[in-house]
Amino acid sequence: MLSQEEIQNINSSLRTMLKENGFDWVLAQVEDEILRGREQTVSVKEIDLNEAYFDVLEKKSISNEKFVIAEAYSIEEELQLLLNAIAKGICEPYQMANSALDFISTSVEGKPEFILASERPGEEVSISAGQLQLLREKALKLSELIREIQNDLNNANTE
Amino acid sequence: MPIRNDILVEIGSTLGSLAGSNLNSYSALDNLYEVYIFSLILRACRNQGGHFTLRNITATHRGTRMYFRTAPGYISSTTRNYTYADLNFVNKPPLEAHVSIRCTGQSTVLHEADVCVLFKSEAELCRMARARVAPKSAKIIITAETKFYTAALGLHLGRSFLGLVSDFSSDFPIFITNTNSDSIEKLLSKRGKHWEHKITPSNVGDVNRLIGIFETAFKGFKAKH
């Protein structure tokens, strides 16, 4: 079973790697989600209220009301969020590009190339099947490695 | 069972080899996601018996290089020969599909449509005008607001979509994301708005459902016109 310390270490190693390789934006979006917390709609009975305050409130008057609460994620959940984000933001885009290029190739002669271009000259990013071929294999490998850690985490939770 | 020691080393080296890719910036991926959704609209058109042809602003598309906007712009452009698609259904008014264009709401305020399908006559008018003209939302058949994120979406994105559709008379506005958000899904469902989540190639069922939704929009267009 993974200890809290191991989970913490994996989390911090992944964060460092993302920063070092220019994937800070993945981290930023995960941080936003962690800050928001896990939202849930619960009845007042399920909220951990200070007992003294509860007495003042006259709990009967609000016992049927629903409230939205945000709970902090556990460190396992934070790691899961980070692993999911790596899969979504770094691995899946290769499948996405491939799917769109493949479909478009059925309507043009030759291999299509997408140019993502702003109106300003020189600002463009090219995406073609040829460029992506090798990287797609790397992305696939990364998703397998991510899945391996996710499985370890899930097994640790069920043990 | 503890994780194997070398897995983090392997992840580090794989991330390193992906770092130089054209797909490592958020803005490129957000734009690519729009192009991916554009391709799903073309699939839906074909599934509904329609025919599509890729074109660019100045002429029929002959090459394999296709230009897509990285920021919302007008249908006409003097700096880039942006790509769009002609969509044709037999005996029906011709349509066009575009990525990231400006359009006008009922209030005459300019909005942005990440991916949209509109009447060709309206698009032609905008292309032919000397000034930069934005199409009217009333001439738009499908408007897709697309959001590519790596984590759950913040509620503000759902609220801004509601703001957009409140000023839009487009037949079929839809909110589409690769991820999910319980709060946005609840908000849009309660307001009766279309949304689809987890739209990525690996989620085949979700993608097929979205294509089906676009097909329904085309079916409605064919019935009305």
Side-chain angles (χ1 to χ4, degrees), chain A residues 4 17 32 37 44 50-51 56 60 63 66-67 74 76 78 86 89 92 102 124 128 131 136 156 159:
Chain A
Q4 299 283 295
M17 289 173 202
D32 281 348
V44 72
N50 178 311
E51 281 300 322
V56 178
K60 275 188 182 167
S63 61
K66 296 278 185 189
F67 289 84
S74 67
E76 288 94 337
E78 286 188 12
I86 294 171
E92 286 180 358
D102 261 5
E124 54 185 58
S128 68
Q131 287 168 6
R136 209 165 52 231
E159 272 171 20

Side-chain angles (χ1 to χ4, degrees), chain A residues 50-107:
Chain A
N50 178 311
E51 281 300 322
Y53 183 61
F54 223 156
D55 289 343
V56 178
L57 270 178
E58 294 178 21
K59 52 185 151 185
K60 275 188 182 167
S61 65
I62 57 166
S63 61
N64 292 324
E65 288 184 22
K66 296 278 185 189
F67 289 84
V68 177
I69 61 165
E71 282 188 338
Y73 287 107
S74 67
I75 61 163
E76 288 94 337
E77 288 171 326
E78 286 188 12
L79 178 56
Q80 287 286 13
L81 291 177
L82 187 60
L83 294 167
N84 286 339
I86 294 171
K88 279 182 190 150
I90 306 176
C91 307
E92 286 180 358
Y94 290 87
Q95 297 175 333
M96 217 160 71
N98 203 39
S99 165
L101 285 163
D102 261 5
F103 180 73
I104 297 292
S105 71
T106 62
S107 64

